[in-house]
């Protein structure tokens, strides 16, 4: 094995502009570490440091991908060294990321496209509900169905690789600019969502990419700053370093990626920022150690766009594909070269890089390709995407592309109806008094807010315009709408069935002005529907947790003269809703980013065609300042390495923090109302295995890690009853409280089970939750193992993280 030092030096020889930190340190003083390092442990467990883990593990697939690996080996055996170099290096072309075709081997290349809610650079594609919306459904089937439908669209457009789904950011900070692209501020729920999404994409024949790995929790300073942006040289500041300890890594941030690997995800995208001092795309502990060794990942690691900061150092640390590669960030930075490409050929030729590592990179790239049968009848890239691709326009291409097949294919199918159903089922009812909802065919309706109507400045890519309803956030995670059902249109359509009068005011400044009451005509409406929006986008963190465009003042104003004010939010996530207790605000509905069927889906909920069953995937506190772990937004010094963010809160993010510190919140994690009511009774817990051991049996690693961690060891059942008058769905949730013998810092309650269940009025059903070994273990930093602590666990099942109806105890390991 090459020593880390020699790797470092050789990479510097290869690419002199590389900032090759393959084993990083955040530079924090020893005293600041959260615990004393025991003598017999290695640096592995230290907070804020990243030990070297080499060499990069080879693909070992002998399970589901065995026959694909054989094909990949045959393919590899036919490649020249130059072809190998370009198999691992992106190039300008029709897609957001491209691997060149090799016609002599019948390899059509790889087309990589964003993103998590749509195939973004495409015409005639659907804009699905955002990740945060889908997660609000707490519905495994919905999550699978969404990804499968998206996968069909990626495939139809000729994209082998979908740059989705997102588990980083997880939602450490309420202010994170990209939280909405991911799922929930909880590793368990996000883990389930990752697994279902990956299965959905890959069952549709498209490679999924679990991104952004790892601890990518803020947008501010996610990339380095340069004195010369044209050539990406002369670093002013390195990107922010996310510094966290080993336990937090395992129990929060790595957790959902473990689910992703277990679901056989084809690819993992490493993130932009530094991790414990070393760039995430060249952090050998994260890539070689955690991902490939501990979790047994068999696919390939691709860089985020421009996230590669060295050649051989990154390759040895576990990076398998440089994106977008080619000529750097293409049109953006035309003079910046790739650290891969020709440099890889040189490194192999001069002995700096062993060709066996390059071969493994290619096997990792091609095995999922064959496993998903992408060599057989995969549609060609739709040329219309090339014409829409502003990232690498044709002028930047180095080769011609051979396009075949129809131009501008319509891949939407009947997905509009799926999106409409999903968005309705994911809508969260937060408040409902005086039977305000569902609406009972009101005859006079007033609609307020700049979020209610048509987008007045186009909607090919969502931007934060003043006028128009918000169906998605911004950046690479957005979508290109082909149509948009707005709330106002959908309300008009529905109200016309009742012969109702609909009046509307879309100018927030007017609505909050004193002129407004005089504009009523002919008399007070039966219901005032206020639509508010909150923008978030890639590249920026949120500055506040209020709704945008003076939304809070708009509500206060309408509620001051309308005693049946119903507020609907279209938001990236957390809003603090300071008017929630106003007596005239009779209902509050959080619809997040619902996608193209926004209006139709919200009308179904408002009128009761769909009984809302969404649950919060995060906590709504009373004030923005109640949240811990804000993004690091500034530093007071000028050192190149000085952007550091310390995950000092450790496991205490979102509800774990509020619970541990007994802080009252407005609406807790897991909360959501229905038009009916549910009761939970008769909890039973049964061990599924005899003689449970504290640590898992040592077994050969499979994708996801030690299979013993995924073994179900308890079954908990409850009886669930719809005690109301109408059919509805609900989500019983199971939270685990660890015994006192668990290490300090263990959160009081942790989600470890949930199930979406639909029941007719009066219907009763038994619901089971299987607890896996990982669910009741903590990560022991000393033994580097998942451990079940001794003593009694409390198992609580209820309607949210703070509304438990049934409690029992289990004692897997007697004290
Ligand atoms: C984003 C990725 C995205 C890539 C390609 C990056 O800036 O972080 O999520 O897939 O661009 O558009």
């Amino acid at each position: 094995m090459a020593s880390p030092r020699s790797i470092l030096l050789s990479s510097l020889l290869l690419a002199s502009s590389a900032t090759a930190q393959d084993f990083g340190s955040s530079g924090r003083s020893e005293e600041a570490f959260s615990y004393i390092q025991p003598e017999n442990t290695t640096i592995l467990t230290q907070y804020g440091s990243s030990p070297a883990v080499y060499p990069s593990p080879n693909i070992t697939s002998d399970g589901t991908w065995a026959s694909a690996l054989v094909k990949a080996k045959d393919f590899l055996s036919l490649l020249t060294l130059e072809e190998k170099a370009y198999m691992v290096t992106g190039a300008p072309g029709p897609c957001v990321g491209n691997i060149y075709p090799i016609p002599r081997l019948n390899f059509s290349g790889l087309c990589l496209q964003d993103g998590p809610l749509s195939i973004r650079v495409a015409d005639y594609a659907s804009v699905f509900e955002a990740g945060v919306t889908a997660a609000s459904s707490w519905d495994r089937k919905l999550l699978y169905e969404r990804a499968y439908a998206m996968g069909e669209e990626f495939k139809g457009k000729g994209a082998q690789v979908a740059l989705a789904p997102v588990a980083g950011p997880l939602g450490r900070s309420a202010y994170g600019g990209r939280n909405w692209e991911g799922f929930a501020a909880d590793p368990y729920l996000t883990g389930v969502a990752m697994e279902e999404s990956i299965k959905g994409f890959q069952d549709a024949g498209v490679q999924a990419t679990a991104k952004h790995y790892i601890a990518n929790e803020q947008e501010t300073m996610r990339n380095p700053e340069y004195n010369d942006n044209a050539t990406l040289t002369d670093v002013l500041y390195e990107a922010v370093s996310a510094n966290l300890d080993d336990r937090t890594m395992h129990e929060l941030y790595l957790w959902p990626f473990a689910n992703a690997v277990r679901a056989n995800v084809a690819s993992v995208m490493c993130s932009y920022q530094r991790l414990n001092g070393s760039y995430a795309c060249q952090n050998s502990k994260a890539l070689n150690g955690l991902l490939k060794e501990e979790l047994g990942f068999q696919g390939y690691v691709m860089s985020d766009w421009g996230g590669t900061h060295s050649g051989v150092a990154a390759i040895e640390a576990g990076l398998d594909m440089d994106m977008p590669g080619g000529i750097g960030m293409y049109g953006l930075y035309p003079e910046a070269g790739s650290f891969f490409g020709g440099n890889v050929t040189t490194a192999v030729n001069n002995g700096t890089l062993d060709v066996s590592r390059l071969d493994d990179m290619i096997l990792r790239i091609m095995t999922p390709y064959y496993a998903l049968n992408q060599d057989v009848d995969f549609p060609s890239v739709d040329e219309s995407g090339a014409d829409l691709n502003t990232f690498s326009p044709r002028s930047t291409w180095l080769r011609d592309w051979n396009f075949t097949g129809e131009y501008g294919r319509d891949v939407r199918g009947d997905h509009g109806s799926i999106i409409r159903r999903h968005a309705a089922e994911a809508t969260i009812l937060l408040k409902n008094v005086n039977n305000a909802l569902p609406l009972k065919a009101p005859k006079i309706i007033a609609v307020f807010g700049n979020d209610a109507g048509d987008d007045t400045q186009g909607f090919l890519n969502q931007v934060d315009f003043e006028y128009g309803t918000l169906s998605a956030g911004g950046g690479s995670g957005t979508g290109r709408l082909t149509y948009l059902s707005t709330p106002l249109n959908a309300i008009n359509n529905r109200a016309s069935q009742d012969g109702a009068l609909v009046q509307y005011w879309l100018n927030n400044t007017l609505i909050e002005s004193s002129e407004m009451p005089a504009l009523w005509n002919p008399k007070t409406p039966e219901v005032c529907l206020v639509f508010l929006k909150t923008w978030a986008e890639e590249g920026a963190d949120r500055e506040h947790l209020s709704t945008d465009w003076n939304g809070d003042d708009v509500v206060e104003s309408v509620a001051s003269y309308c005693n049946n004010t119903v507020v609907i939010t279209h938001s990236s996530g957390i809003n603090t809703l300071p008017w929630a207790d106003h007596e005239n605000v009779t209902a509050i509905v959080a619809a997040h980013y619902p996608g193209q069927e926004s209006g139709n889906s919200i009308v179904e909920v408002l009128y009761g065609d769909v009984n809302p069953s969404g649950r919060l995937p995060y906590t709504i506190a009373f004030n923005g300042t109640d949240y811990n772990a804000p993004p690091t937004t500034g530093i007071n010094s000028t050192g190149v390495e000085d952007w550091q963010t310390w995950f000092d809160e450790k496991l205490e993010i979102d509800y774990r923090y509020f619970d541990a510190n007994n802080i009252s919140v407005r609406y807790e994690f897991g909360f959501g109302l229905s038009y009916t009511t549910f009761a939970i009774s008769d909890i039973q817990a049964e061990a599924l295995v005899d003689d449970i051991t504290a640590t898992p049996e040592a077994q050969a690693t499979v994708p996801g890690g030690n299979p013993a961690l995924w073994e179900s060891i308890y079954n908990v059942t409850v009886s669930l009853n719809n005690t109301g008058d109408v059919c509805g769905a609900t989500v019983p949730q199971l939270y685990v409280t660890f015994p006192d013998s668990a290490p300090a810092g263990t959160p009081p309650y942790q989600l470890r089970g949930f199930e979406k269940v639909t029941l007719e009025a009066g219907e009763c059903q038994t619901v089971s939750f299987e607890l896996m070994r990982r669910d009741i273990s903590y990560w022991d930093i000393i033994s580097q193992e998942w451990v079940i602590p001794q003593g009694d666990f409390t198992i609580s099942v209820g309607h949210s993280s703070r509304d438990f109806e049934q409690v029992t105890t289990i004692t897997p390991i007697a004290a």
Side-chain angles (χ1 to χ4, degrees), residues 300-369:
Y300 56 103
V301 177
M302 75 167 81
S303 71
D304 199 344
W305 268 230
T308 306
H309 293 280
S310 64
V312 173
I315 289 173
E316 298 281 12
L319 181 63
D320 300 304
M321 181 188 278
D322 176 38
M323 275 292 156
I327 49 169
M329 295 289 275
Y330 305 152
L332 296 180
Y333 306 111
E335 292 165 47
S338 167
F339 289 108
F340 282 30
N343 288 324
V344 172
T345 321
T346 308
V348 171
N349 281 335
N350 71 16
T352 316
L353 178 66
D354 196 312
V355 75
S356 65
R357 171 72 187 106
L358 179 57
D359 287 351
D360 184 61
M361 292 156 77
I362 291 160
L363 293 180
R364 285 174 171 276
I365 293 166
M366 290 306 287
T367 300
Y369 172 87

Side-chain angles (χ1 to χ4, degrees), residues 618-632:
Y618 50 72
T619 302
I620 297 184
F622 285 105
N623 305 292
T625 48
D626 292 351
Y627 292 92
N628 65 344
T632 298

Side-chain angles (χ1 to χ4, degrees), residues 470-487:
L470 213 49
S471 59
S476 65
T478 194
R480 222 180 121 90
L481 290 156
T482 55
Y483 73 93
L484 177 59
S485 161
T486 69

Side-chain angles (χ1 to χ4, degrees), residues 439 442-449 452 487-488 491-492 495 500-506 511 516-517 519-531 554 558-559 561-568 606-607:
L439 300 174
K443 285 291 194 309
I444 305 178
I445 301 169
V447 177
F448 297 90
L488 185 56
I491 290 164
N492 270 321
L501 167 69
V502 179
Q503 305 177 78
Y504 59 89
W505 290 270
L506 305 181
I511 299 166
M516 192 59 221
L519 301 176
W520 289 115
N521 180 34
K523 57 182 178 176
T524 306
E526 288 163 57
V527 61
C528 298
L529 302 171
V530 182
F531 287 87
V554 167
V558 174
Y561 42 75
C562 180
N563 67 4
N564 188 20
T565 300
V566 172
V567 182
I568 299 100
L606 295 176
Y607 279 79

Side-chain angles (χ1 to χ4, degrees), residues 96-97 112-116 120-121 163-164 166 168 178 181 209 211-212 216 219 222-223 269-272 302-306 323-324 329 391 475-477 538:
V96 163
L112 288 64
Q113 293 283 36
D114 289 313
R120 175 172 61 93
V121 185
L163 303 173
V166 173
R178 299 184 81 176
E181 292 187 43
T209 307
K211 69 184 190 183
H212 309 85
N216 176 225
E219 292 301 284
R222 64 180 186 161
N223 274 312
M269 183 192 290
C270 51
S271 51
Y272 280 133
M302 75 167 81
S303 71
D304 199 344
W305 268 230
M323 275 292 156
M329 295 289 275
F391 192 67
S476 65
E538 178 179 348

Side-chain angles (χ1 to χ4, degrees), residues 647-666:
F647 289 27
D648 286 330
E649 74 291 343
K650 301 188 173 144
L651 299 174
E652 288 184 11
I653 66 165
D654 200 75
Y655 71 90
R656 289 164 165 78
Y657 166 70
F658 292 111
D659 290 348
N661 295 281
N662 273 325
I663 300 170
S664 304
V665 301
R666 194 183 293 286

